[in-house]
Amino acid sequence: MAGRQRTGTPTLEDVAALAGVGRGTVSRVVNNAAGVKDSTRRAVERAIAELGYVPNHAARSLAGRRADAVALVVTEAEWRLFGEPFFAETVRAVSDALADSGMHLLLTLVRGAAERRRFVEYARGGRVDGVLLVSAHGGEPLPDMLAELGIATVLLGRRSADEPVSYVDVDNVGGARTAVRYLLGSGRSAIATITGPLDMYVAQCRLRGYREALGRGTERDAAPAPGAPDDSWVAEGDFTEESGRRAMRELLARHPGLDAVLVASDTMAAGAVHALRAAGRRVPDDVAVIGFDDFPLAQHIHPRLTTVRQPVDEIGRALVRLLLEELEDSAVAWRHVVLRTELVRRDSA
Amino acid sequence: MAGRQRTGTPTLEDVAALAGVGRGTVSRVVNNAAGVKDSTRRAVERAIAELGYVPNHAARSLAGRRADAVALVVTEAEWRLFGEPFFAETVRAVSDALADSGMHLLLTLVRGAAERRRFVEYARGGRVDGVLLVSAHGGEPLPDMLAELGIATVLLGRRSADEPVSYVDVDNVGGARTAVRYLLGSGRSAIATITGPLDMYVAQCRLRGYREALGRGTERDAAPAPGAPDDSWVAEGDFTEESGRRAMRELLARHPGLDAVLVASDTMAAGAVHALRAAGRRVPDDVAVIGFDDFPLAQHIHPRLTTVRQPVDEIGRALVRLLLEELEDSAVAWRHVVLRTELVRRDSA
DNA sequence: CTGAAAGCGCTAACAC
DNA sequence: GTGTTAGCGCTTTCAG
């Protein structure tokens, strides 16, 4: 394949010649380095404008040994999940957070061993300065591979309780606990839950929060605990709508009298609502549903659902901040941030 | 900011030394160039494996004048739309189509003049070989800017009837026509439509197809035309659910007797169904709804909606093919591809 | 403060 | 077939 780059593009040298200075000076001006006389700087800037000079990325990257880009990697075999609002929102948030830093965002999917290997080569090739990793399941090896290669990496969501690699996570236990307490406080007591895939730590945490609120009532503002429900009140889904529907049917079959459900995702909540309706239950009057993720799908299905909102913009900012910090001083300890969630009530509307 | 690249990474030269050959030979092996003795090739490969050599991208890019990456640009001020299934699906399809070519995908948002400028600089910096552009509204200047700079560009969706820049589009007129004919053929006659933003050519085309089917019945298998409806049967949305809802309410107010609606997107169809239900109409028994885009949202709302499916995978493949062709021979004429759509009937289920 | 010079790691053209 | 060489355009010392 022949060279692709437009030829005749002005180079730093052209600018230097036109401005009557050396290349080094132009470089300093372009990079806003201190120690250039103001008049010189202006002359160079004029030349740059006149020539329409734009720095060549490859050269800069080669000389400066950096890429000015970070990869956002989605390790999710089920790409369909990328359609989930949570991913789209995350991409947007990260993109926004990155905008000021001058870095560019590279979106990459890793859906299996082959693509994982391919991405590692890619990263090793120096095309990114760091990696943001979303949707890592329990045993995902990519973060460790990257860490071993010395590539700055930050996860959105831990893989396990003792995640070593840097991460940003939300307080899933607390969010679920708050949701269930709210239900208890509003008079519901037969409360079931639909979890995410239990090989994901996020799903385990939400389940734990549910159990804590029901079984213990450890904190003083907690409603009276009705005793921990057994596993028949728990159904596992995989974050898809269909799984939410199926899980809800199971729960209804086992406990026709249930009057509230905590669902681990927006999409599954939509499925659960369908199943409830099909069973002739009124939502949320007859059965209260609380879904995680304050996003559109479940709201389409029923606008009065209560949700546990994840602060996506803050997640994005935190991810970028951690990554930049890691790039600054590669000495490092791992960095961890856990963000609070927020209950958004709509069912009283 | 200090250099970021891991240091001590083996270079081509290290490989050459270890294998006891020259750099050129290693380069040939790495690039699968012909004309290397088999034994030599194997020796080099062994050295590569032993050292864990990975080519440095920046150097390759600088010397070879290409980036091995293409940008997928979404020019959409309303980023929220990125959450739409159509975008997620498009990203996936393009990503898949690109996988074989060894190129990488770069996702970029352009939400206004500032970001547009920024992206042009980015592209001029030689960081991408070509650009795929999605969701261009009528007056979007980016494609022309890129074309002028000699950057290979392919649009998904024309901006107007006489789009000059290379594009892949689907047969929106035909799709809408087919849908309306299907409605006519099944005994509906009071047919309204909810369009997309009419500053987008795609929306204009779908509206035209609707009008052609109703007003003319030009082809022999067309059902009897009831005469072209006036503008009161047309409501404009912006592809969001809320706009679909509002548009449907307007249409119902103007024409309580309508018995079918053609909706220009999946999401708006979901909104329309909500509005119909709220008005006490049964869907699709009482009112038939056809939405464009065979995607999940409207199906969540009502599983029996008929849809016009856009062949997303083929779109992805076509986009990539056109772009690669353009990269191969930069001589070029513009290349245009229009894909067929397909009616997917579900309302008889 | 500024110019000159030495690479960054690779490709491609040209010798041998 | 294979080694050698000249850059690609920029950053970064190092002198002045």
Side-chain angles (χ1 to χ4, degrees), chain B residues 171-314:
Chain B
D171 178 14
N172 289 303
V173 177
R177 204 165 40 203
T178 303
V180 172
R181 279 191 193 144
Y182 166 71
L183 291 170
L184 290 169
S186 65
R188 318 273 177 174
S189 59
I191 305 173
T193 188
I194 298 177
T195 73
L198 289 173
D199 71 333
M200 292 186 77
Y201 188 64
V202 54
Q204 296 164 22
C205 286
R206 288 171 186 181
L207 177 55
R208 176 139 36 92
Y210 161 87
R211 286 200 168 122
E212 284 184 16
L214 285 179
R216 304 208 193 111
T218 39
E219 299 184 23
R220 52 181 185 280
D221 63 338
D230 61 43
D231 284 353
S232 68
W233 292 84
V234 177
E236 180 178 353
D238 63 4
F239 285 142
T240 66
E241 193 269 350
E242 181 47 36
S243 75
R245 193 184 291 243
R246 181 194 47 65
M248 192 70 249
R249 276 197 299 259
E250 279 173 24
L251 291 173
L252 280 172
R254 299 203 283 252
H255 302 286
L258 64 77
D259 57 16
V261 194
L262 172 70
V263 188
S265 87
D266 175 78
T267 315
M268 290 198 298
V273 170
H274 279 303
L276 284 166
R277 277 194 180 134
R281 307 291 296 266
R282 279 167 312 147
V283 181
D285 304 311
D286 201 25
V287 182
V289 175
I290 293 192
F292 259 87
D293 306 350
D294 180 41
F295 291 121
L297 186 51
Q299 301 294 328
H300 278 278
I301 309 294
H302 198 297
R304 284 169 58 215
L305 296 185
T306 297
T307 57
V308 177
R309 175 187 294 157
Q310 308 190 43
V312 187
D313 283 301
E314 287 178 41

Side-chain angles (χ1 to χ4, degrees), chain B:
Chain B
M1 203 171 297
R4 286 163 191 161
Q5 177 119 345
R6 296 137 303 295
T7 178
T9 309
T11 71
L12 196 159
E13 183 133 26
D14 299 331
V15 176
L18 179 59
V21 304
R23 292 149 28 126
T25 304
V26 178
S27 177
R28 281 173 205 122
V29 171
V30 169
N31 294 294
N32 276 315
V36 180
K37 214 199 301 176
D38 238 35
S39 59
T40 316
R41 179 180 297 273
R42 265 194 298 277
V44 171
E45 278 165 349
R46 211 172 312 120
I48 288 177
E50 181 163 336
L51 261 40
Y53 167 75
V54 177
N56 175 293
H57 169 66
R60 181 177 262 184
S61 186
L62 180 57
R65 348 187 93 238
R66 62 223 172 67
D68 288 327
V70 329
L72 178 62
V73 179
V74 180
T75 51
E76 181 59 79
E78 296 297 320
W79 163 258
R80 155 190 46 123
L81 292 185
F82 184 71
E84 300 274 312
F86 183 69
F87 283 116
E89 281 292 305
T90 302
V91 173
R92 181 196 55 67
V94 169
S95 169
D96 281 356
L98 220 48
D100 306 321
S101 72
M103 299 235 179
H104 272 267
L105 219 210
L106 223 98
L107 186 72
T108 309
L109 323 177
V110 170
R111 285 169 290 185
E115 293 188 358
R116 184 181 297 121
R117 204 169 23 249
R118 193 158 171 260
F119 177 75
V120 171
E121 292 227 338
Y122 183 78
R124 283 229 295 157
R127 301 174 66 145
V128 293
D129 295 318
V131 177
L132 259 22
L133 210 145
V134 180
S135 186
H137 286 245
E140 177 61 47
L142 185 54
D144 305 313
M145 298 165 75
L146 294 172
E148 194 146 339
L149 291 169
I151 297 170
T153 304
V154 181
L155 308 184
L156 167 43
R158 279 163 278 194
R159 288 170 298 172
S160 68
D162 55 350
E163 176 64 70
V165 176
S166 293
Y167 64 79
V168 174
D169 208 344
V170 299
D171 178 14
N172 289 303
V173 177
R177 204 165 40 203
T178 303
V180 172
R181 279 191 193 144
Y182 166 71
L183 291 170
L184 290 169
S186 65
R188 318 273 177 174
S189 59
I191 305 173
T193 188
I194 298 177
T195 73
L198 289 173
D199 71 333
M200 292 186 77
Y201 188 64
V202 54
Q204 296 164 22
C205 286
R206 288 171 186 181
L207 177 55
R208 176 139 36 92
Y210 161 87
R211 286 200 168 122
E212 284 184 16
L214 285 179
R216 304 208 193 111
T218 39
E219 299 184 23
R220 52 181 185 280
D221 63 338
D230 61 43
D231 284 353
S232 68
W233 292 84
V234 177
E236 180 178 353
D238 63 4
F239 285 142
T240 66
E241 193 269 350
E242 181 47 36
S243 75
R245 193 184 291 243
R246 181 194 47 65
M248 192 70 249
R249 276 197 299 259
E250 279 173 24
L251 291 173
L252 280 172
R254 299 203 283 252
H255 302 286
L258 64 77
D259 57 16
V261 194
L262 172 70
V263 188
S265 87
D266 175 78
T267 315
M268 290 198 298
V273 170
H274 279 303
L276 284 166
R277 277 194 180 134
R281 307 291 296 266
R282 279 167 312 147
V283 181
D285 304 311
D286 201 25
V287 182
V289 175
I290 293 192
F292 259 87
D293 306 350
D294 180 41
F295 291 121
L297 186 51
Q299 301 294 328
H300 278 278
I301 309 294
H302 198 297
R304 284 169 58 215
L305 296 185
T306 297
T307 57
V308 177
R309 175 187 294 157
Q310 308 190 43
V312 187
D313 283 301
E314 287 178 41
I315 291 175
R317 276 194 293 271
L319 282 169
V320 169
R321 184 162 47 72
L322 260 54
L323 191 62
L324 293 181
E325 284 176 14
E326 216 142 281
L327 292 175
E328 287 309 329
D329 72 291
S330 44
V332 285
W334 300 111
R335 299 158 214 275
H336 301 158
V337 170
V338 178
L339 297 167
R340 267 190 283 280
T341 56
E342 180 193 359
L343 192 70
V344 182
R345 300 196 276 168
R346 288 211 189 70
D347 64 3
S348 58

